Amino acid sequence: MLTHSFKLVTIIAEPVLEPRITTELRRLGATGFTVVEGRGQGSRALHAAEIPGINVRIETIVPPEVADRIVEYISKQYFADYEVIAYLSDVQVVRGEKYRRAP
Amino acid sequence: MIETLKANLLSPIPLAFALGIVTRLMRSEFSLPKDVYSALSIYLLFALGLKGGVELAHASFDSIVAPAGVTLLLGCITPLSTYAVMRYVGRFGTSDAAGMAAHYGSVSAVTFIAAQQFMQRVGAPAEGFMPTLLTLLESPGIHIALAIGAIQRNKQLLALGGDKNAHGSVREVLHEVLTGRTMVLLVGGLVVGYFMGESGWNAVSPFFESGFKGALMLFLLEMGIVAGDRLGDLKKVGPFLLAFGIVMPLLHGAIGVILGAWAGLSPGGAAVLGTMAASASYIAAPPAVRLTLPEANPTYSLTAALAITFPFNILAGIPIYYSIAQAIAT
């Protein structure tokens, strides 16, 4: 089957940042995203959730240039003050046009 | 006062709360499922709003004006005094002081409900329109505190030659506070309750009234667990914040009771208003502070609000504010 190379961007963040980050993802060129909630602890463990230890994992599949923009934005905006990590992985998808915003 | 304190400690709410703390001290893994906890808080807040709305329909405009006025005044006093004490007595930075001011300027709805239950039990029920005052007190504290924080922060950034890029816009914070669970359910409940009136309330009261105290006990059990989780952080916050978490509610509580009595509230009503002023928010304030003042350390404010002030108010504060109200009345 014909597949296309894309990037999977994974962002794990304090829940309070979810609305902000997901809004920004769309602005930066992502066509969609998935959010899951989970438990965990990072190196700081000081976030302000009502229930301690809850994090959100936000994932989006995007073209490489969009992935770079997203990671750069997240690192500039949030790494200093918040408990946030972001990483990229290579993925192969069918229906490549689904993950590319029409110019 | 000692008798009231003793009687309070052996009543359902403090006992359930204490069990929650003991559960954590025993290192039990038990906690309520997150969705059950959310559902309980929705039930409690909506029931509170509805009942308050039904009662509001009976209240005369004249009887509410003065209490509403002093409530707004309290909403200005509590964040300012918290900021001043944190900054100039505790020598904390502007962000940490402003973050704490937002927590102590806002209200803990659960503490409020506990105070109402206490007043009912001792036979001095508060006025029916108290939930309206709760919604009035909920947001000014947060906004004043965040405004102080943002202004100070921008001043510092400008002095350092940085750009004036505040993290959270006023609009975003307003949206966060006004659309939060507490405000939607309380204000929404007040409006629905007001319009549905007594007959509407009679239809739903079997659900909202008979289960209320049981649900509150379960909720307080979980709050005990959450507070117990934070007990380990007490070591991180130091003696100043420990003292702060008890002295500040006593001060704000006394001011609230005095203003309440002055505005014509009954002893029970004045004590509930005092409790509101004494309480610190740990639901609405933390996300708002996190978004606007990201460099404020949440360990300080959450530990003080949740692990010191909340238990203090539930176990001892409420009876103390009631004793002050009684002393003023006689």
Side-chain angles (χ1 to χ4, degrees):
Chain A
M1 187 185 280
L2 179 67
T3 59
H4 307 264
S5 297
F6 275 80
K7 291 283 182 191
L8 169 69
V9 183
T10 308
I11 301 158
I12 299 174
E14 303 177 31
V16 70
L17 296 178
E18 182 193 323
R20 240 187 227 187
I21 291 179
T22 51
T23 311
E24 284 302 315
L25 287 183
R26 290 211 176 262
R27 194 182 60 82
L28 293 167
T31 55
F33 57 85
T34 302
V35 182
V36 284
E37 215 171 63
R39 283 184 297 157
Q41 203 172 77
S43 51
R44 301 194 213 190
L46 49 60
H47 56 202
E50 189 184 334
I51 298 170
I54 297 287
N55 286 316
V56 289
R57 187 174 76 201
I58 305 167
E59 289 185 326
T60 180
I61 295 173
V62 290
E65 66 277 8
V66 176
D68 287 344
R69 274 209 297 271
I70 292 173
V71 173
E72 196 193 339
Y73 166 80
I74 296 287
S75 57
K76 263 202 194 138
Q77 204 69 22
Y78 300 117
F79 280 1
D81 291 316
Y82 294 95
E83 197 172 338
V84 174
I85 62 171
Y87 52 88
L88 301 177
S89 0
D90 294 317
V91 287
Q92 297 296 121
V93 298
V94 286
R95 299 183 298 168
E97 74 287 351
K98 191 172 158 51
Y99 307 97
R100 199 181 288 283
R101 181 79 64 79
Chain B
M1 191 195 290
I2 303 296
E3 282 307 308
T4 336
L5 272 173
K6 262 196 216 154
N8 181 53
L9 288 177
L10 295 178
S11 64
I13 294 170
L15 284 175
F17 184 71
L19 176 63
I21 294 181
V22 170
T23 304
R24 266 302 174 267
L25 293 179
M26 285 170 14
R27 297 183 185 282
S28 160
E29 286 295 300
F30 168 78
S31 69
L32 286 192
K34 188 173 163 273
D35 292 338
V36 173
Y37 169 83
S38 296
L40 281 175
S41 74
I42 292 170
Y43 172 82
L44 292 171
L45 288 169
F46 199 47
L48 181 69
L50 287 176
K51 191 80 206 291
V54 173
E55 306 252 359
L56 188 62
H58 299 313
S60 72
F61 182 74
D62 291 344
S63 63
I64 303 183
V65 172
V70 296
T71 303
L72 288 174
L73 182 63
L74 277 172
C76 302
I77 296 174
T78 50
L80 294 175
S81 59
T82 304
Y83 183 83
V85 171
M86 282 290 285
R87 190 87 183 88
Y88 304 109
V89 184
R91 306 250 156 235
F92 279 83
T94 49
S95 295
D96 282 326
M100 192 69 92
H103 285 72
Y104 280 77
S106 182
V107 194
S108 149
V110 182
T111 314
F112 166 78
I113 297 174
Q116 276 204 322
Q117 297 292 321
F118 175 89
M119 300 313 152
Q120 267 177 19
R121 217 175 40 244
V122 298
E127 279 78 357
F129 55 75
M130 296 310 283
T132 314
L133 302 188
L134 174 65
T135 59
L136 282 181
L137 194 56
E138 175 80 3
S139 78
I142 294 185
H143 290 109
I144 292 174
L146 294 182
I148 303 173
I151 293 166
Q152 298 291 354
R153 198 164 159 278
N154 285 339
K155 252 195 227 161
Q156 286 169 350
L157 284 176
L158 287 176
L160 291 170
D163 74 307
K164 199 177 158 181
N165 177 26
H167 279 255
S169 66
V170 177
R171 224 178 118 227
E172 197 179 7
V173 175
L174 253 177
H175 185 260
E176 177 78 30
V177 173
L178 295 181
T179 60
R181 182 175 44 184
T182 313
M183 287 303 260
V184 168
L185 290 166
L186 263 182
V187 178
L190 277 171
V191 174
V192 172
Y194 184 86
F195 285 113
M196 76 183 187
E198 205 69 54
S199 59
W201 173 247
N202 289 338
V204 294
S205 71
F207 179 73
F208 280 111
E209 204 151 34
S210 57
F212 191 83
K213 286 179 185 163
L216 186 60
M217 266 189 97
L218 265 180
F219 191 79
L220 263 292
L221 171 66
E222 176 66 14
M223 287 308 305
I225 291 171
V226 175
D229 269 333
R230 295 261 169 199
L231 284 182
D233 289 338
L234 287 182
K235 278 176 260 160
K236 291 187 208 155
V237 301
F240 173 79
L241 282 186
L242 273 175
F244 176 92
I246 291 173
V247 174
M248 225 51 209
L250 282 173
L251 179 71
H252 288 160
I255 297 174
V257 172
I258 293 168
L259 286 178
W262 179 68
L265 289 173
S266 66
V272 170
L273 185 66
T275 307
M276 283 198 247
S279 73
S281 160
Y282 43 79
I283 292 180
V289 171
R290 198 76 189 107
L291 288 172
T292 10
L293 302 165
E295 63 278 36
N297 186 345
T299 304
Y300 296 146
S301 45
L302 269 178
T303 307
L306 199 51
I308 306 171
T309 298
F310 181 62
F312 170 75
N313 278 332
I314 295 290
L315 302 174
I318 296 170
I320 294 174
Y321 312 135
Y322 178 59
S323 302
I324 300 175
Q326 273 182 314
I328 293 176
T330 50

